[in-house]
Amino acid sequence: MYSIIVVPAPDTGPGSQIRLAPGERLHFGRTAPRSTAPRTTGARRHLDIPHPGVSRTAGEIGATASYWTLSNFSAASTYVVENPEGAGEHIKIAPGRVDAPVPFEFSRVVLPAGGDLLDFSVWAPRHDYVERARSSSAEDGEPTALAFPLDRSKRYFLVLAALCETRLRGAPHAPLPTVDRIVERLRPLWPAVNRASVQWNIDYLAVKLRLKPGPDTADAGPRLNGKKESLVSLALRFDLVREDDLTTLTTRPVSATPPALTEAAR
């Protein structure tokens, strides 16, 4: 099962992202000043954060099957994990706290470092959801886990719905909208949307819907040609987006806090 992806810095490419399978752990802390990058020391993986205000052994991330954990090895500093799509939602990890569970699909880990606030991002693209029973009857039994877990409250679902809209509205062979057209379509719902945010969400969907290798493999996979076409084909074939889902493009409330794509969603 896929687990998590750690994004060291907003300008790092896929090759610098750290992919952790369930059971794997990643230490992070100060090293000699140089570019932020993952490295391996013996059997222990390490994320370098070259800042004098960060402890050499600042903390550790642990990957599980359905969430991830954060340990704070600092003696005095509280770490904060923010949900960029949660309108200020966050959790605090107290000094010395070990294996605190983090429930967010997108997370920004903020570390106080002297007079600075440093951060890196963690993605959990394999957050799973269940098909809720349409009846409240107890005889319905356990809900069924979804093969392609999607959270319809996330912005990536808005992007997917916008990609599928034309074909769902009766033009099955129509060309897909360009990124610029998607930006224009979503701006009333998402004022901060831009080309970079739409493209990031398309890339993220390719990982989440398993069109590209997930974080259980160190291989970032080949470049996916026809990414939009592949996403729409998969979404329509398996009814991941239906015609009634298009109401999200007109009735979804505007979020007060757009995702910080350069920090936690890019």
Side-chain angles (χ1 to χ4, degrees):
M1 177 181 285
Y2 299 163
S3 191
I4 66 170
I5 302 173
V6 179
V7 185
D11 56 350
T12 55
S16 297
Q17 296 171 1
I18 309 166
R19 296 167 177 249
L20 301 178
E24 292 187 330
R25 306 184 77 84
L26 175 72
H27 290 248
F28 59 89
R30 184 176 85 243
T31 55
R34 56 189 178 88
S35 298
T36 303
R39 61 186 173 90
T40 301
T41 303
R44 190 177 76 176
R45 303 175 73 183
H46 194 277
L47 171 62
D48 297 345
I49 305 178
H51 190 287
V54 175
S55 170
R56 289 182 176 84
T57 54
E60 183 182 62
I61 288 171
T64 73
S66 58
Y67 63 94
W68 59 280
T69 64
L70 179 64
S71 297
N72 180 356
F73 297 156
S74 169
S77 297
T78 294
Y79 300 160
V80 175
V81 183
E82 300 174 343
N83 174 8
E85 294 198 342
E89 184 181 19
H90 68 279
I91 58 176
K92 295 188 287 186
I93 313 299
R97 177 72 160 92
V98 176
D99 288 337
V102 179
F104 309 140
E105 184 167 350
F106 306 118
S107 301
R108 179 192 300 116
V109 180
V110 183
L111 312 176
D116 300 320
L117 291 177
L118 308 179
D119 64 80
F120 58 88
S121 302
V122 179
W123 304 342
R126 279 310 312 270
H127 266 211
D128 290 327
Y129 301 89
V130 296
E131 186 72 52
R132 300 202 176 274
R134 298 184 180 275
S135 168
S136 59
S137 171
E139 287 76 20
D140 287 340
E142 292 296 321
T144 302
L146 297 179
F148 300 104
L150 293 173
D151 185 344
R152 282 165 166 73
S153 70
K154 299 294 185 183
R155 291 191 178 94
Y156 63 67
F157 190 79
L158 276 180
V159 172
L160 186 59
L163 278 170
C164 297
E165 182 178 24
T166 304
R167 296 188 180 181
L168 282 172
R169 293 197 187 280
H173 303 294
L176 297 181
T178 64
V179 170
D180 287 333
R181 289 293 300 274
I182 295 174
V183 169
E184 181 182 348
R185 180 71 177 92
L186 297 182
R187 194 174 300 282
L189 307 170
W190 179 4
V193 68
N194 55 36
R195 286 180 54 86
S197 58
V198 168
Q199 189 59 59
W200 177 85
N201 277 280
I202 291 172
D203 292 341
Y204 182 78
L205 281 164
V207 172
K208 188 168 183 66
L209 298 182
R210 289 170 256 173
L211 295 174
K212 295 196 70 176
D216 57 346
T217 173
D219 181 11
R223 181 177 179 83
L224 181 63
N225 295 320
K227 193 178 305 180
K228 292 192 298 181
E229 188 69 45
S230 296
L231 284 171
V232 171
S233 176
L234 180 71
L236 297 183
R237 179 176 301 171
F238 292 100
D239 288 335
L240 305 184
V241 181
R242 302 181 178 91
E243 189 171 356
D244 55 2
D245 288 318
L246 298 181
T247 58
T248 62
L249 298 175
T250 56
T251 61
R252 179 185 171 101
V254 176
S255 172
T257 305
L261 289 168
T262 59
E263 295 168 338
R266 181 177 172 186

